[in-house]
Amino acid sequence: AVETALNLHIIVQEMVFGGGIPIIDWQEKTNITGRILIRLGDYLIDEVRDKYLVPLTLDEIDSIAERCLDVAKRRFKN
């Protein structure tokens, strides 16, 4: 669980601070938030569900990714 949380954090951080420069108002840009959701979902599918055989449905994965994005929006305000 800790490894997953850290990797989800890294994914968001890399996308929000592209090239070390924070993207202004990324929370409101659906093209960025959409890409973040896709990356989070892909990670959860590949590295959690498939690798460790955790029985997650796609709806559960989407819900987890959306909750992670909500937390990131509060944590990485600029």
Side-chain angles (χ1 to χ4, degrees):
V2 172
E3 178 184 345
T4 297
L6 289 173
N7 285 323
L8 293 173
H9 174 82
I10 290 168
I11 289 169
V12 173
Q13 192 171 18
E14 286 174 350
M15 296 192 76
V16 171
F17 296 98
I21 301 170
I23 298 170
I24 303 299
D25 296 330
W26 67 269
Q27 300 91 337
E28 306 303 321
K29 297 179 180 176
T30 56
N31 62 326
I32 295 170
T33 58
R35 287 193 315 236
I36 291 171
L37 285 173
I38 290 169
R39 292 258 326 261
L40 294 173
D42 287 348
Y43 176 84
L44 290 167
I45 290 169
D46 296 340
E47 296 297 325
V48 177
R49 187 189 72 178
D50 294 349
K51 185 175 180 180
Y52 295 107
L53 304 175
V54 176
L56 291 171
T57 67
L58 291 179
D59 286 339
E60 291 169 327
I61 289 169
D62 288 343
S63 177
I64 294 167
E66 288 171 13
R67 286 184 279 158
C68 289
L69 181 61
D70 289 342
V71 170
K73 284 180 177 181
R74 286 185 234 115
R75 180 171 169 82
F76 296 116
K77 285 186 178 184
N78 46 357

